């Protein structure tokens, strides 16, 4: 006779139901609708910064930034300054027509503002616009970066400011139609809720 009863069979593992807040990043189960922008923000003898496109989601949008080094300059002119400074992200800011504004500083450490520092209402939604880097990289004279912006803009112009001071690329601005971003967000395809 046994002292202990047999162990019950292990239960089925539960599903992990955590999901990021709806404002924190692009909808992971959604294919965005792209809005082509192709506007130069800053140009120098060494490089050019451009807003390539906007990827619109039901809960916000990603600004896609490109940096191209002049292929006729010695490669170390821009690439050396960027890599020497620890491959910093560019400074990216937005201002909506209703006055809301937010920005991201050019720092490898300040890449993401901690969630608890974003001011929120009683329902946990930010009370001001949020800009967060989604990532970036490149090489060989070209780089791409993405910046997540929450919420969708109000109707009217959206000013996008970009600079990369460490590479000598001063602040420039592009104006995008907020209505175009809002319309594109309605065309995004939700694949998984």
């Amino acid at each position: 006779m046994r002292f202990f009863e047999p162990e019950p069979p292990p239960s089925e593992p539960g599903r992990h139901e955590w999901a990021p807040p709806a404002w924190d990043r692009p909808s992971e189960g959604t294919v965005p609708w792209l809005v082509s922008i192709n506007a130069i923000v800053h140009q120098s003898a060494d490089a050019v910064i451009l807003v390539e496109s906007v990827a619109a989601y039901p809960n916000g949008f990603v600004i896609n930034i490109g940096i191209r080094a002049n292929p006729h300059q010695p490669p170390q002119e821009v690439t050396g300054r960027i890599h020497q400074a620890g491959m910093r992200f560019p400074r990216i800011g937005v201002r909506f027509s209703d006055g809301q504004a937010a920005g991201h500083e050019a720092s490898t450490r300040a890449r993401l503002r901690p969630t608890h520092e974003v001011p929120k209402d009683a329902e946990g939604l930010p009370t001001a616009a949020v800009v967060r880097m989604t990532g970036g990289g490149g090489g060989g004279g070209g780089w791409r970066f993405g910046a997540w912006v929450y919420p969708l803009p109000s109707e009217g112009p959206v000013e996008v400011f970009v600079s990369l001071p460490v590479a000598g690329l001063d602040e420039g601005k592009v104006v995008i139609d907020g209505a175009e971003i809002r319309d594109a967000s309605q065309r995004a395809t939700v694949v998984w809720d």
Side-chain angles (χ1 to χ4, degrees):
M1 175 168 263
R2 297 182 62 140
F3 180 78
F4 293 105
E5 293 294 322
E7 290 279 331
S11 60
E12 292 293 317
R15 262 182 81 114
H16 183 59
E17 294 294 328
W18 181 87
W23 59 268
D24 184 61
R25 64 191 78 182
S27 304
E28 294 172 335
T30 301
V31 177
W33 191 267
L34 293 179
V35 177
S36 180
I37 306 298
N38 293 318
I40 293 175
V41 177
H42 175 79
Q43 183 175 354
S44 71
D46 293 332
V48 64
I49 299 177
L50 61 144
V51 174
E52 296 177 334
S53 63
V54 168
Y57 293 83
N59 61 329
F61 61 102
V62 173
I63 302 168
N64 295 305
I65 307 292
I67 299 175
R68 305 283 184 277
N70 183 342
H72 305 293
Q73 297 282 11
Q76 64 273 19
E77 289 298 320
V78 174
T79 59
R81 288 191 301 253
I82 291 174
H83 290 290
Q84 186 178 32
M87 193 53 210
R88 300 205 177 206
F89 289 96
R91 299 173 81 184
I92 300 173
V94 297
R95 184 168 36 231
F96 296 158
S97 63
D98 65 3
Q100 284 193 78
H104 166 78
E105 288 299 319
S107 166
T108 53
R109 285 191 213 129
R111 186 173 157 199
L112 295 175
R113 184 177 187 184
T115 303
H116 65 274
E117 290 182 14
V118 176
K120 300 177 201 78
D121 64 16
E123 292 158 8
L125 296 174
T127 57
V130 176
V131 175
R132 298 172 71 121
M133 296 305 293
T134 61
W143 299 268
R144 286 199 165 94
F145 300 94
W148 167 247
V149 181
Y150 175 89
L152 288 168
S154 54
E155 298 284 332
V158 176
E159 297 173 295
V160 178
F161 302 88
V162 185
S163 71
L164 189 55
V166 70
L169 301 171
D170 296 328
E171 180 179 301
K173 174 178 86 169
V174 168
V175 179
I176 302 170
D177 182 5
E180 190 173 2
I181 296 171
R182 293 182 75 80
D183 289 346
S185 74
Q186 300 300 310
R187 294 181 178 155
T189 303
V190 177
V191 180
W192 300 285
D193 286 334

